[in-house]
Amino acid sequence: MAKHRFHCPLRWGDVDRYDHVNNVVYVQYLEEARVDLFEQLNGDGTWDMLTKGVVVANLEVQYKRPLAHSTTPVPIDVWVSRVTASAFDLSYEIHDAAGTTYATALTTLVPYDLAAAWPRRLTPDERSRLESLRA
C-alpha cells in the first residue's frame, strides 16, 4: 500500500521568534497526520482506534532543516512501519512538493483499554487494517 499523504495547513502562530516553525509544532503536525490516517482506516465506520483508545508510547523526531511559514499546506507522508501483537509504529516524513525533507519521525502506538486503564492487544481486524498500510 502507498504511504498516506496528509496536507497540513501552516498557521501563522506556528512560527517562532527565529522565523521558522517551532519544533514543538512539528509534533502537532504529526498528530494531525496520524488522526487523518486513522480516519481513513475507519472508512467503513467499523474501526475507530481513537474512540477505543490508543496512546503514544514513544516519539522520535529528526529535524532536518527549518520550515518557514507558507500559505501552501505542507505534505506529510505517514505509513505503518511495524506491527506486533500489542503495538505498532508509524513513520512520517514532512516535506514539500520539491522533495525537500524538513523532518522525519517515528511513533510507537499502543492500543489502550480506556475502561480498564490498561494496554490491550490489537484485534485481528486492527492488525489486518494496519498491515494493509505497511510500507
Side-chain angles (χ1 to χ4, degrees):
M1 175 88 187
K3 297 174 182 178
H4 176 74
R5 178 159 291 171
F6 172 68
H7 294 278
C8 187
L10 305 180
R11 302 165 299 219
W12 180 253
D14 295 346
V15 177
D16 63 18
R17 179 180 179 153
Y18 302 113
D19 205 27
H20 64 266
V21 173
N22 186 274
N23 64 309
V24 174
V25 176
Y26 281 77
V27 176
Q28 293 172 331
Y29 292 169
L30 300 176
E31 179 182 51
E32 290 185 38
R34 181 170 58 250
V35 168
D36 193 66
L37 171 67
F38 286 171
E39 288 174 356
Q40 175 186 319
L41 287 170
N42 189 33
D44 64 0
T46 62
W47 188 91
D48 189 3
M49 189 163 286
L50 294 174
T51 300
K52 289 180 183 177
V54 63
V55 295
V56 175
N58 183 57
L59 167 67
E60 300 171 23
V61 181
Q62 293 79 43
Y63 300 98
K64 305 293 186 181
R65 63 181 353 138
L67 175 60
H69 182 267
S70 171
T71 57
T72 304
V74 64
I76 302 174
D77 289 332
V78 57
W79 64 97
V80 176
S81 51
R82 182 181 70 103
V83 180
T84 69
S86 58
F88 59 99
D89 290 346
L90 295 180
S91 294
Y92 310 78
E93 185 178 71
I94 300 173
H95 55 88
D96 62 19
T100 302
T101 300
Y102 297 97
T104 58
L106 177 113
T107 53
T108 300
L109 295 121
V110 175
Y112 194 76
D113 183 328
L114 295 170
W118 197 256
R120 64 175 178 81
R121 292 177 124 7
L122 289 165
T123 68
D125 181 58
E126 289 168 337
R127 283 187 68 132
S128 174
R129 291 184 196 221
L130 289 166
E131 287 288 356
S132 75
L133 289 173
R134 193 169 177 176

